[in-house]
């Protein structure tokens, strides 16, 4: 994401001086001077050396983040080849620094590339290669053969068996117990828990649950950090939650609109504002009347289990207790992050099924309530703090929905034009 020019190592004041000097020498305009109150906030962020705090201060909607983000912030000079960067060179020569500083557009673009804590939230983590020596390589080859030709077929058999048992029980229960709603729902939920257990077994899930299991109390909602749709499977095998999630296409969509919907799960399309209203209404109804607990992934998107992005406030303005659940995957055998832009859910499952095991910890944490004077956004941030701390995740202030947004071509062209103009102007000056 774009940042203030300080991402090039210049603090606010220095940057302004450079621009003022340049303004005298040429007709290049400095960036618009911030208002007094904004300067104060910028100064605060600089004093704290917290770039993220600065970004948030400009929107006025988010609280300053912890200083741990600083550790995560790269230094531009580390990314430039030695001798090519911010070095003094004889006057009159075209220097890289001039080009880098030539326009806010370039500064902004480089800031977006280098200091992009947003993109890092959605990067898959490729495993560290460990097999490239004469002793380990044969072992690794053996492992590949074992995983793909022995474990995988066994797991397919387990999953197929699971589906046979599930469907041969679910269909009669669903159609024959029509007049006995309570019993039917209970049995259906048990069967959903059962099929989820088969899924977990099909990746040799090694899941350690900590804390008291969720109870069926009214007026409570469970919220968890989100890494993959397998989060839902892992939680569902223990408790038959009703979940609120994005509607999918294909076989996942079919399961959503048939089996899962019948156990109270709610699906929506995040791009449809009409859907959002319906979900908000269903949420309120569910919290007041339903007999099974409600689960929400308030990030609204899968994050790579190193970070947490902004929690949507919907779950925090229902006036009920919020029970946080923290999920942390151990990447020792496989990265459980579902990068939906790169692979389908089927491919993701196949990847898990061909790995040694999926190892993870789940913590059921103490229920939280809105404090007097606290806004739903502050409440959401407090719960995010609790989950992030428990699972060892870094908080970043981004809205995860932006993952699915692309800048419009017009916006891109305007940026390209402004960049080209400023480079040409600078070259003409030399
Ligand atoms: O990572 P996303 O945004 O594609 O979301 C995937 C699932 O719908 C989240 O449950």
């Amino acid at each position: 994401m774009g940042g203030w020019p300080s991402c090039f190592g210049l603090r606010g004041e220095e940057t302004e001086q450079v621009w003022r000097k340049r303004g005298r020498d040429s007709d290049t305009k400095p960036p618009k001077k911030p208002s007094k109150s904004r300067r104060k906030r910028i100064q605060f962020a600089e004093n704290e050396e917290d770039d993220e705090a600065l970004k948030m201060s400009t929107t006025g909607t988010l609280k300053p983040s912890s200083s741990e983000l600083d550790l995560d912030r790269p230094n531009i000079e580390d990314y430039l080849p030695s001798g090519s960067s911010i070095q003094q060179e004889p006057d009159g020569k075209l220097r890289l620094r001039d080009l880098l500083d030539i326009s806010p557009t370039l500064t902004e673009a480089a800031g977006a590339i280098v200091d992009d804590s947003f993109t890092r939230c959605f990067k898959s983590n490729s495993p560290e290669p460990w097999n490239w020596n004469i002793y380990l390589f044969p072992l690794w080859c053996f492992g590949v053969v074992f995983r793909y030709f022995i474990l995988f077929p066994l797991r397919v058999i387990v999953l197929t068996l699971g589906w046979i048992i599930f469907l041969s029980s679910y269909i009669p229960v669903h159609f024959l117990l029509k007049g006995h709603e309570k019993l039917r729902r209970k049995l259906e939920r048990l069967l959903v828990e059962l099929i989820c257990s088969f899924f977990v077994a099909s990746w040799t899930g090694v899941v350690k649950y900590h804390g008291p299991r969720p109870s069926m109390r009214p007026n409570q909602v469970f919220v968890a950090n989100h890494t993959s749709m397998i989060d839902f499977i892992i939680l569902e095998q223990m408790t038959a939650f009703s979940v609120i999630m994005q509607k999918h296409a294909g076989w996942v969509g079919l399961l959503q609109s048939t089996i899962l919907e019948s156990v109270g799960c709610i699906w929506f399309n995040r791009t449809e504002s009409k859907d959002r209203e319906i979900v908000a209404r269903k949420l309120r109804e569910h919290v007041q009347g339903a007999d099974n607990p409600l689960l929400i992934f308030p990030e609204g998107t899968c994050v790579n289990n190193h970070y947490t992005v902004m929690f949507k406030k919907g779950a925090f303005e229902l006036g009920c207790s919020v029970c946080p659940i923290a999920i942390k995957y151990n990447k020792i055998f496989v990265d459980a992050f579902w990068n939906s832009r790169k692979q389908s859910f089927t491919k993701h499952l196949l990847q898990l099924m061909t790995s040694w095991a999926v190892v993870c910890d789940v913590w059921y944490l103490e229920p939280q309530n809105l404090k007097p004077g606290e806004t739903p956004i502050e409440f959401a941030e407090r719960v995010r703090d609790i989950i992030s701390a428990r699972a060892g995740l870094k908080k970043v202030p981004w809205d995860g929905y932006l993952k699915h947004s692309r800048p419009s071509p017009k916006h891109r062209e305007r940026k390209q034009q402004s960049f080209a103009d400023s480079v040409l102007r600078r070259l003409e000056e030399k």
Side-chain angles (χ1 to χ4, degrees):
M1 304 296 283
W4 184 252
S6 62
C7 68
F8 274 102
L10 292 176
R11 307 300 270 315
E13 287 300 317
E14 291 170 63
T15 315
E16 207 175 314
Q17 281 162 15
V18 170
W19 276 110
R20 278 210 201 98
K21 184 173 173 294
R22 296 248 162 100
R24 281 202 304 274
D25 298 345
S26 70
D27 54 356
T28 311
K29 295 263 188 309
K32 205 175 155 216
K33 197 173 176 181
S35 70
K36 199 176 170 190
S37 64
R38 188 160 175 264
R39 275 205 310 274
K40 260 190 177 170
R41 280 178 279 154
I42 289 166
Q43 191 62 52
F44 163 74
E46 286 167 352
N47 288 345
E48 294 294 311
E49 296 197 344
D50 190 340
D51 202 21
E52 300 298 328
L54 173 57
K55 283 171 188 167
M56 288 185 289
S57 76
T58 58
T59 65
T61 52
L62 295 160
K63 290 158 62 181
S65 66
S66 65
S67 59
E68 64 188 347
L69 289 172
D70 278 335
L71 299 173
D72 218 33
R73 188 174 56 195
N75 178 0
I76 177 94
E77 303 212 28
D78 297 341
Y79 288 78
L80 294 169
S82 58
S84 70
S85 68
I86 313 174
Q87 305 288 329
Q88 280 292 337
E89 289 192 25
D91 277 345
K93 266 180 98 178
L94 185 61
R95 289 164 297 191
L96 179 58
R97 186 185 62 184
D98 294 328
L99 275 174
L100 287 175
D101 278 353
I102 202 164
S103 89
T105 311
L106 180 55
T107 310
E108 196 184 321
I113 294 163
V114 174
D115 192 12
D116 190 353
S117 60
F118 180 77
T119 310
R120 267 181 272 155
C121 296
F122 308 109
K123 257 191 203 153
S124 309
N125 305 284
S126 30
E128 287 285 319
W130 57 270
N131 51 354
W132 301 115
N133 75 35
I134 193 80
Y135 311 112
L136 293 174
F137 187 69
L139 274 177
W140 176 79
C141 290
F142 170 77
V144 170
V145 171
F146 188 79
R147 286 189 286 119
Y148 281 81
F149 298 101
I150 297 174
L151 267 187
F152 178 64
L154 280 176
R155 287 164 171 181
V156 171
I157 293 170
V158 167
L159 197 55
T160 312
L161 254 176
W163 275 110
I164 292 170
I165 296 169
F166 173 77
L167 289 175
S168 58
S169 319
Y170 184 88
I171 294 170
V173 166
H174 188 72
F175 291 103
L176 299 179
L177 290 178
K178 277 250 147 85
H180 308 82
E181 281 309 301
K182 215 171 165 191
L183 177 67
R184 184 176 74 143
R185 288 171 83 86
K186 196 175 171 190
L187 290 176
E188 283 178 352
R189 280 185 201 135
L190 279 175
L191 288 169
V192 169
E193 284 179 21
L194 180 79
I195 188 65
C196 287
S197 305
F198 274 102
F199 268 106
V200 174
S202 77
W203 341 298
T204 314
V206 182
V207 189
K208 211 167 169 184
Y209 296 89
H210 311 259
R213 300 288 176 277
S215 57
M216 301 280 179
R217 258 178 275 148
N219 278 323
Q220 61 176 5
V221 54
F222 288 79
V223 297
N225 57 303
H226 199 20
T227 308
S228 161
M229 273 206 290
I230 71 163
D231 299 336
F232 165 69
I233 299 175
I234 284 171
L235 296 176
E236 195 77 5
Q237 75 158 345
M238 298 302 288
T239 312
F241 286 108
S242 284
V243 73
I244 300 195
M245 273 172 103
Q246 168 70 29
K247 179 91 174 93
H248 287 271
W251 68 270
V252 179
L254 185 68
L255 288 185
Q256 286 179 322
S257 54
T258 52
I259 294 159
L260 294 174
E261 205 162 285
S262 78
V263 292
C265 295
I266 301 167
W267 312 107
F268 67 98
N269 194 343
R270 56 168 81 93
T271 54
E272 292 285 334
S273 56
K274 215 168 63 191
D275 275 19
R276 272 180 256 158
E277 285 161 27
I278 297 169
V279 166
R281 182 171 46 78
K282 282 191 179 173
L283 257 176
R284 284 192 294 273
E285 285 168 6
H286 187 104
V287 167
Q288 281 157 15
D291 51 357
N292 64 328
L294 184 68
L295 171 66
I296 300 177
F297 296 104
E299 289 168 297
T301 192
C302 298
V303 185
N304 67 4
N305 211 232
H306 285 293
Y307 298 87
T308 51
V309 295
M310 208 170 88
F311 278 13
K312 305 271 172 207
K313 65 183 166 79
F316 303 88
E317 53 189 10
L318 295 169
C320 61
S321 300
V322 172
C323 311
I325 303 178
I327 308 174
K328 180 68 182 175
Y329 291 94
N330 183 330
K331 294 186 169 59
I332 183 168
F333 297 123
V334 68
D335 180 9
F337 168 52
W338 177 32
N339 191 342
S340 63
R341 288 179 302 184
K342 289 210 170 139
Q343 57 179 184
S344 65
F345 189 61
T346 310
K347 269 195 186 157
H348 178 54
L349 282 185
L350 289 177
Q351 189 189 352
L352 303 181
M353 286 172 76
T354 49
S355 76
W356 287 110
V358 173
V359 184
C360 98
D361 282 276
V362 173
W363 290 271
Y364 298 108
L365 303 167
E366 198 181 325
Q368 303 293 320
N369 289 296
L370 192 73
K371 288 182 179 167
E374 196 175 37
T375 65
I377 292 176
E378 287 165 347
F379 185 25
E381 279 299 287
R382 181 159 60 83
V383 172
R384 183 157 77 112
D385 281 342
I386 294 171
I387 291 177
S388 308
R390 181 60 273 184
L393 307 171
K394 291 175 194 163
K395 284 178 67 198
V396 290
W398 311 123
D399 177 351
Y401 277 13
L402 292 175
K403 174 178 161 183
H404 297 283
S405 315
R406 291 274 177 279
S408 77
K410 266 191 188 163
H411 176 77
R412 205 170 50 229
E413 277 160 26
R414 265 204 309 274
K415 289 276 175 197
Q416 285 167 343
Q417 187 62 52
S418 126
F419 173 61
D421 288 348
S422 54
V423 171
L424 284 174
R425 198 166 49 231
R426 197 69 183 160
L427 288 170
E428 276 162 16
E429 280 167 18
K430 288 286 167 186

